[in-house]
Amino acid sequence: MKGLFYGVLLQWKMDLRSKTMLIACYLVPLAFFVLMGGIFVSIMPESRQTLTQTMTVFAISMGALIGLPPTLVEFYGSDIRKVYQVSGIPGWVGFVLAMLSAFCHLLLMSVLLFGLSFVCFGGEIPSNLQEYVLALILLLLTSLFMAGVVGLGVKDQAKTSLFSILLFLPSILLSGVFFPAELLSPVLEGVGKCFPAFWGSRLLMGGFHWTDILPLVGLLFLYGGICILLLKKN
């Protein structure tokens, strides 16, 4: 257990030195929050009710899809993987450490957005904090496993960045956080349902309903299963 904790702490420090992770998990979400939060509140004062949820979904999607895959590519495509093999450490350990570190970073970012939204823009606190936290954790895990599929499946750094962006953009635009998903065509709405952000935003904004929980859990098992298959090939 001490070894796992040390590994997570070491990966955490490495991620803090990573420009990609720092930008994707902290700088861009905070800048987007300050800019768009002010615009939303000025134009639509009622957006205070969902400002925290909207910015949290954006931060998690970006931090996971843009920040995590390069870390995985760096590990499985470099000599670090060989060091693990020589030391007799299973290859999946690197994946778990990267996931846990990214989870901690994004959870911290979500807490910061929660507090800043209330302090800076008068954002409303969710009525049921327990359900909100559970939905947040479920969204975090599913988004990270989806990002894990990209990081494990696409081993070229340049291609990984391209795939990450191609997944991040529709994930946000079709999630319903900036405009109701019902305004989209049936085809686009169906595509949006393939992304964790769609169901996560409904859970964070609309409450803890099984009609939204089950699809998100299904995506969690789907992306988690794909990650397991890809780990066996690495």
Side-chain angles (χ1 to χ4, degrees):
M1 196 66 184
K2 290 182 179 179
L4 178 61
F5 178 77
Y6 176 77
V8 173
L9 182 61
L10 180 61
Q11 185 64 48
W12 168 282
K13 293 179 178 179
M14 291 173 61
D15 288 341
L16 285 177
R17 296 178 182 179
S18 170
K19 294 181 180 179
T20 301
M21 184 66 76
L22 185 63
I23 291 173
C25 288
Y26 293 99
L27 297 183
V28 172
L30 283 175
F32 185 83
F33 165 77
V34 173
L35 178 63
M36 297 305 296
I39 293 175
F40 285 162
V41 171
S42 297
I43 298 178
M44 299 177 294
E46 66 276 9
S47 65
R48 289 187 176 90
Q49 300 175 1
T50 58
L51 182 63
T52 301
Q53 295 89 329
T54 298
M55 296 301 157
T56 299
V57 171
F58 176 87
I60 290 175
S61 298
M62 181 167 195
L65 291 173
I66 305 296
L68 179 61
T71 301
L72 295 176
V73 171
E74 182 180 359
F75 175 81
Y76 288 99
S78 67
D79 293 335
I80 301 177
R81 176 71 176 91
K82 297 179 182 179
V83 173
Y84 271 58
Q85 289 177 330
V86 172
S87 303
I89 302 175
W92 55 264
V93 173
F95 175 79
V96 172
L97 293 178
M99 291 282 287
L100 288 175
S101 176
F103 180 89
C104 293
H105 281 294
L106 292 177
L107 184 61
L108 175 59
M109 188 68 243
S110 299
V111 173
L112 287 174
L113 290 175
F114 186 92
L116 290 174
S117 175
F118 176 75
V119 173
C120 298
F121 301 112
E124 295 188 6
I125 298 176
S127 56
N128 193 318
L129 284 178
Q130 183 178 0
E131 291 184 354
Y132 181 86
V133 171
L134 290 175
L136 177 65
I137 292 175
L138 186 56
L139 173 60
L140 265 170
L141 291 174
T142 310
S143 300
L144 287 173
F145 274 112
M146 183 181 184
V149 173
V150 178
L152 294 172
V154 186
K155 299 180 180 179
D156 181 82
Q157 192 75 41
K159 292 181 180 179
T160 299
S161 300
L162 177 61
F163 273 91
S164 296
I165 294 173
L166 290 177
L167 287 176
F168 168 70
L169 290 177
S171 176
I172 289 299
L173 294 177
L174 304 180
S175 64
V177 294
F178 296 123
F179 51 84
E182 291 75 15
L183 298 178
L184 299 170
S185 66
V187 174
L188 290 177
E189 186 176 359
V191 173
K193 292 179 179 180
C194 298
F195 296 97
F198 180 90
W199 302 105
S201 64
R202 292 169 67 93
L203 279 175
L204 292 177
M205 295 181 187
F208 219 59
H209 302 296
W210 286 107
T211 53
D212 299 323
I213 296 173
L214 292 178
L216 191 56
V217 172
L219 290 177
L220 173 61
F221 280 99
L222 173 63
Y223 295 132
I226 296 175
C227 285
I228 292 174
L229 293 176
L230 290 173
L231 281 170
K232 290 182 179 180
K233 294 181 178 179
N234 283 299

